[in-house]
Amino acid sequence: MKDDSKSTPATETPAAGRRRFIGSAALAGLTLGVAACADKKSEGGAAAPAAGGSAAASGHAADAIHLKPGELDTYYGLWSGGHTGDMRVLGLPSGREITRIPCFVPDALVGWGITNESKAVMGTKPDGSLRYTVADTHHTHASYKDGNYDGRYAWINDKINARVARIRLDYFVCDKITDLPNVQGFHGIFPDKRDPVDEKINYTTRVFCGGEFAIPLPNAGIEDASKYRSLFTCVDAESMDVRWQVLIDGNCDLVATSYDGKLAATNQYNTEMGAHYEDMMSAERDACLFFNVARIEAAVKAGKFKTIGDSKVPVVDGTRESNKDPKTALTAYVSVPKNPHGVNASPDGKYFICAGKLSPTATVIELSKVLDWFDGKQEKLDGAIVAEVELGLGPLHTAFDGRGNAYTTLFLDSQVVKWNVDKAIAFHKGDKTVKYVVDRLDLHYQPGHLNATQSETMAADGKYLAVGCKFSKDRFLPVGPLHPENEQFIDISGEKMVLLADHPVRGEPHDFIIFKRDLVKPKQVYTLDEFPNAVKDPKESGVFRKGNKVEVRLTSQAPAFSLREFKLKKGDIVTLTLTNLDKVEDLTHGFAIPKYNVNFIVNPQETASVTFVADKPGVFWCYCTHFCHALHLEMRTRMIVEA
Ligand code: CUK
Ligand code: CUA
Ligand code: CA
C-alpha cells in the first residue's frame, strides 16, 4: 500500500519548506536519513515501508520479468562492479546476473591476474607482480554508431588508480587498460557518438574521461589547494592511447557527449576549488563544463599545448580564466546550482540535464545554444539554460524514455520523479500553470544511478527503468552489518511507474546501461590464430629447456591433457602454455597447480600461459578445475619437480 502521508502529490513540486538550497547546517540531516533507517522513522519518505504502485497493483507487468526456464531476456545490462573491479552482465527484464568480466582486480574463476595474458592487460611491476589489485569502478558505457550502440566495445573506469578498461563485446573480455597521466580520481566516462568534423565517422572514436580530484600539476606536494587543477582526458577508442588532455577548474563527476560529436560535458561540483567539504559547498552555483571537441583538437594540432611532468600527452588550457572569449574558447562553464551530480544527454539530441544534488532542481541546457555561444551568436552563456525546475531533494541522475520524459533519482527523498522536459521548459519560461511532474515513485532506498532501456541512445524505447538504490535496509534477509544494495526494476511503459522487482546486488555497482540483445553478437569459440603462442597440435607438446628457462607446452581435449606428466628441476623458471583444442562452446577446462598458486581456465580454442619458479620439489597433480566431462575428475597431469 502507498503511504500517502509521506509521498508528494504527483503533480506538485516539493513542499515549500524544501525550497531552499541545502546549507552546511542541513548537511547533518543528509546522513540522518541513512543512519535513522533502523528505526524506520527517518524523514523525507526514506523509510516508507511499501512501494507506491507496487508490483501487486499490476500483476500483468510483474509477470513480464518472471521468465520461464529456457526463456531468454530481451535486454543486456552492463553494470559496473564497484570495488570488485569488474563489469557485470545482467539479463533484463529478469535481472539475472549472467557473468562478470574481470578488468582491474584479479578474478579466481578465470585466472585473471594469474595468466601472463591477463597480467599483460592489467600491468605488472618489474618483478612480474601486479601493479594494482584494488579498483573502484563507477561507470560503464559502450561504443556507438548512428546514435545507437554498435556492439564493438564497452569501457569502464577505475576511480582509485585512474585507469580506463576496454571490454571487447564479441568475447566479453577486457583487452586493454590505459592509465590516465596526472589524474587522480578518474570518475565520469563517456564515448563520443560521432566525429565533430568528419561526416563519414558516424561511430565512436574517442572516450572522454573526467578527472575528479584536483592535484598539483606536476604532483609536487604543494599545500595551497587553490593551485590544484584537474584534467579532462581524451582516449583513442581503438588504440586506447591517450590523445590529449584539458586543464580545468573544478572536480569532474559525470561525463556526457552530444549526438553530433561536437560537445562533451562534465558536471563540476567544486568550482570553489575547496579542499574541504564545507569549502566545496560554499558557493550557490557550480558548473556544467562544456568542451568544444573540434577546437581542442585544432589547438593541439597547432601546437598550442604544454606537457606535464614525464607525460608526453598534449595538454591544452581549459581553465575559466583563459576561456572567456567565445571566439577562441575551448571550454564553456555553464553555471548550474549547487554541487551538481550527473549530466545526461536527452535522446532527442537537444539537451544535457544536470541534477542539482544540493539544490532540489534539475537544469536543462540546450546544446544548440552552447554551440551558438562558441560561434558568437549567443551573447550570454547562461542563455543556454532553458529550464531550472524543482524536482525534490537530492536529485542525482537522469534517464529518458524517448517520449519526452525524464526520470530523475532523488537521493534524499528516496524517490524517482518522472517529469516532462518540454513542460519544464514552458514552466521555466513563465507559464506557472504547467505541471511538468508526471509521477513519483517511492524507492528502497536512497537511489543513485538509474537508467532506462536504451536510454542513452536515439533508440530510447521507454520500457523499463532500473534504479541502483544505495541502501536496501529491510528489503532482504539480514546478513550481518553490510546489506546488499537494491537494484529496483520498474515498468515505465505507462503514464505511472510500476515497481516490478527488488534485486540484491553486492556493493557497489553505481552505473549501468541497458540495451537490446540483438545489438551484440557474441562469439562463443575462439580461433587458434588469435593467440601467437598457441599449441596448435598435441604433437607440439613437450618440455623445452634453455638452461633454467623452461617452456612447458600442452593442450587440453576432454578428458585429457596432452602431457601425462612433465619433469622440472628445482629453480627452473617455467612458462607453461596451455591451448584448449576443444571446439564446442562452453567446453572450458581449468588448470590448477597445487601449492603454486596457479589456477586459470582456457575456453574452447583459447590459449593461456603462466610463469612461475619451480621452487618446491615434489609431485604436484595439476588438475582440471572446470567441470567438463564425465571424466573431469580424472583429467590431470603430473608435475614432477626434482630437487
Ligand atoms: S556517481 Cu555513483 S551514484 Cu560515480 Cu556516477 Cu552518481
Ligand atoms: Cu577438463 Cu574438467
Ligand atoms: Ca560547490
Side-chain angles (χ1 to χ4, degrees):
M1 291 295 290
K2 199 171 168 111
D3 184 347
D4 284 320
S5 65
K6 281 188 181 119
S7 64
T8 310
T11 47
E12 269 185 37
T13 51
R18 295 175 184 164
R19 286 176 202 218
R20 50 172 169 62
F21 295 165
I22 295 168
S24 284
L27 191 69
L30 261 167
T31 46
L32 200 69
V34 174
C37 60
D39 66 14
K40 307 207 174 165
K41 278 189 213 130
S42 67
E43 304 271 291
S54 72
S58 177
H60 178 71
D63 282 352
I65 66 166
H66 291 123
L67 298 186
K68 293 190 191 79
E71 280 182 355
L72 299 183
D73 282 295
T74 42
Y75 296 92
Y76 281 99
L78 302 182
W79 252 249
S80 76
H83 305 204
T84 51
D86 49 10
M87 183 183 285
R88 301 175 188 172
V89 183
L90 273 64
L92 297 161
S94 75
R96 299 179 291 201
E97 184 180 298
I98 301 168
T99 194
R100 294 183 178 195
I101 306 164
C103 302
F104 299 113
V105 173
D107 181 88
L109 172 71
V110 299
W112 192 255
I114 297 283
T115 64
N116 294 328
E117 290 71 21
S118 60
K119 282 167 109 175
V121 174
M122 294 173 83
T124 52
K125 295 184 206 164
D127 70 358
S129 63
L130 291 173
R131 278 185 315 158
Y132 304 115
T133 54
V134 296
D136 177 24
T137 70
H138 285 220
H139 301 116
T140 168
H141 289 287
S143 56
Y144 285 79
K145 187 177 183 185
D146 283 329
N148 199 354
Y149 299 123
D150 65 1
R152 280 183 298 147
Y153 299 122
W155 289 273
I156 188 164
N157 75 310
D158 167 24
K159 178 168 166 173
I160 299 174
N161 297 309
R163 294 176 294 170
V164 51
R166 181 174 72 185
I167 281 96
R168 289 174 58 166
L169 289 178
D170 52 357
Y171 290 112
F172 282 73
V173 290
C174 173
D175 74 334
K176 288 214 182 224
I177 291 177
T178 295
D179 284 50
L180 307 182
N182 297 306
V183 172
Q184 263 179 38
F186 156 36
H187 201 164
I189 183 172
F190 218 105
D192 70 353
K193 298 179 179 115
R194 60 185 310 137
D195 191 84
V197 179
D198 188 339
E199 296 242 314
K200 287 192 293 283
I201 303 176
N202 61 345
Y203 52 87
T204 294
T205 57
R206 303 169 181 81
V207 181
F208 299 114
C209 308
E212 186 172 355
F213 305 145
I215 51 171
L217 294 169
N219 194 351
I222 303 162
E223 246 182 68
D224 178 4
S226 70
K227 300 240 157 55
Y228 302 173
R229 291 292 177 276
S230 53
L231 294 165
F232 183 83
T233 304
C234 174
V235 173
D236 189 287
E238 208 50 56
S239 70
M240 289 288 284
D241 293 335
V242 178
R243 280 201 196 173
W244 43 260
Q245 294 180 302
V246 186
L247 185 77
I248 54 172
D249 297 314
N251 293 180
C252 303
D253 170 40
L254 220 64
V255 174
T257 60
S258 65
Y259 283 89
D260 62 9
K262 292 180 176 156
L263 295 170
T266 171
N267 57 297
Q268 303 288 88
Y269 63 82
N270 184 19
T271 49
E272 301 92 334
M273 310 298 293
H276 309 108
Y277 78 82
E278 60 272 30
D279 306 326
M280 296 178 196
M281 57 190 286
S282 59
E284 287 310 316
R285 296 181 79 91
D286 287 291
C288 180
L289 165 52
F290 283 82
F291 299 87
N292 186 322
V293 178
R295 270 196 199 168
I296 289 167
E297 298 195 343
V300 170
K301 216 171 184 182
K304 292 182 195 149
F305 62 80
K306 57 174 188 173
T307 58
I308 298 171
D310 299 338
S311 166
K312 300 242 158 29
V313 174
V315 179
V316 297
D317 186 348
T319 55
R320 279 172 289 199
E321 233 1 82
S322 311
N323 288 273
K324 287 189 169 148
D325 181 359
K327 286 194 290 297
T328 55
L330 308 178
T331 57
Y333 291 74
V334 177
S335 164
V336 299
K338 167 180 189 177
N339 290 35
H341 195 92
V343 52
N344 296 93
S346 64
D348 59 10
K350 287 195 205 158
Y351 309 111
F352 281 3
I353 293 175
C354 275
K357 193 168 81 177
L358 300 191
S359 154
T361 53
T363 302
V364 182
I365 301 166
E366 188 167 338
L367 301 185
S368 64
K369 294 192 170 168
V370 176
L371 287 171
D372 283 349
W373 180 83
F374 279 117
D375 291 342
K377 287 187 258 169
Q378 163 87 26
E379 209 193 314
K380 284 211 150 146
L381 194 48
D382 290 356
I385 295 173
V386 292
E388 199 158 281
V389 291
E390 285 190 21
L391 297 177
L393 284 186
L396 293 188
H397 293 288
T398 300
F400 304 92
D401 64 7
R403 298 187 291 271
N405 300 306
Y407 299 77
T408 301
T409 48
L410 302 174
F411 181 79
L412 298 176
D413 279 340
S414 279
Q415 281 186 337
V416 58
V417 52
K418 173 182 178 181
W419 54 287
N420 184 278
V421 178
D422 283 342
K423 287 184 178 169
I425 292 168
F427 180 91
H428 182 84
K429 264 197 194 139
D431 185 354
K432 301 300 176 198
T433 63
V434 175
K435 307 259 188 257
Y436 53 88
V437 171
V438 182
D439 191 23
R440 291 176 189 277
L441 181 71
D442 288 338
L443 297 170
H444 315 86
Y445 304 89
Q446 272 96 18
H449 274 279
L450 81 175
N451 230 328
T453 44
Q454 294 280 149
S455 173
E456 294 185 274
T457 70
M458 292 188 120
D461 65 6
K463 286 224 157 89
Y464 298 107
L465 182 75
V467 186
C469 295
K470 301 293 182 193
F471 295 88
S472 61
K473 299 184 185 178
D474 49 7
R475 301 295 275 198
F476 305 107
L477 289 173
V479 286
L482 179 65
H483 297 216
E485 293 185 20
N486 187 11
E487 302 285 44
Q488 296 201 292
F489 207 58
I490 295 160
D491 184 336
I492 55 165
S493 58
E495 183 82 348
K496 293 235 154 225
M497 295 176 277
V498 179
L499 181 64
L500 299 176
D502 288 355
H503 294 290
V505 288
R506 191 156 185 234
E508 51 164 45
H510 293 264
D511 201 7
F512 44 86
I513 57 171
I514 306 167
F515 54 86
K516 292 211 167 112
R517 69 183 184 198
D518 51 3
L519 290 176
V520 291
K521 306 259 177 300
K523 297 184 194 169
Q524 314 221 256
V525 177
Y526 282 98
T527 53
L528 292 182
D529 292 334
E530 292 192 54
F531 306 94
N533 56 342
V535 187
K536 291 191 174 175
D537 190 301
K539 289 191 212 101
E540 295 172 21
S541 305
V543 178
F544 306 92
R545 175 177 292 277
K546 270 190 199 137
N548 70 341
K549 290 230 162 115
V550 180
E551 276 202 67
V552 178
R553 293 171 62 77
L554 74 169
T555 61
S556 61
Q557 262 174 309
F561 294 110
S562 59
L563 296 177
R564 304 203 146 188
E565 60 184 45
F566 54 96
K567 279 192 187 155
L568 304 168
K569 291 194 179 75
K570 188 177 173 205
D572 283 349
I573 300 162
V574 184
T575 295
L576 182 146
T577 304
L578 172 61
T579 298
N580 181 4
L581 293 180
D582 277 314
K583 287 185 182 142
V584 179
E585 65 185 59
D586 201 31
L587 221 176
T588 294
H589 300 287
F591 196 89
I593 312 177
K595 310 296 181 196
Y596 274 87
N597 197 36
V598 168
N599 184 24
F600 62 97
I601 60 169
V602 275
N603 288 303
Q605 302 278 296
E606 188 184 16
T607 297
S609 66
V610 288
T611 297
F612 59 92
V613 178
D615 53 1
K616 290 170 279 284
V619 170
F620 302 89
W621 286 104
C622 306
Y623 69 99
C624 177
T625 48
H626 207 90
F627 214 109
C628 55
H629 189 276
L631 291 171
H632 160 71
L633 283 185
E634 291 81 351
M635 187 167 177
R636 316 182 199 165
T637 179
R638 208 162 32 127
M639 180 169 93
I640 301 165
V641 182
E642 295 168 339

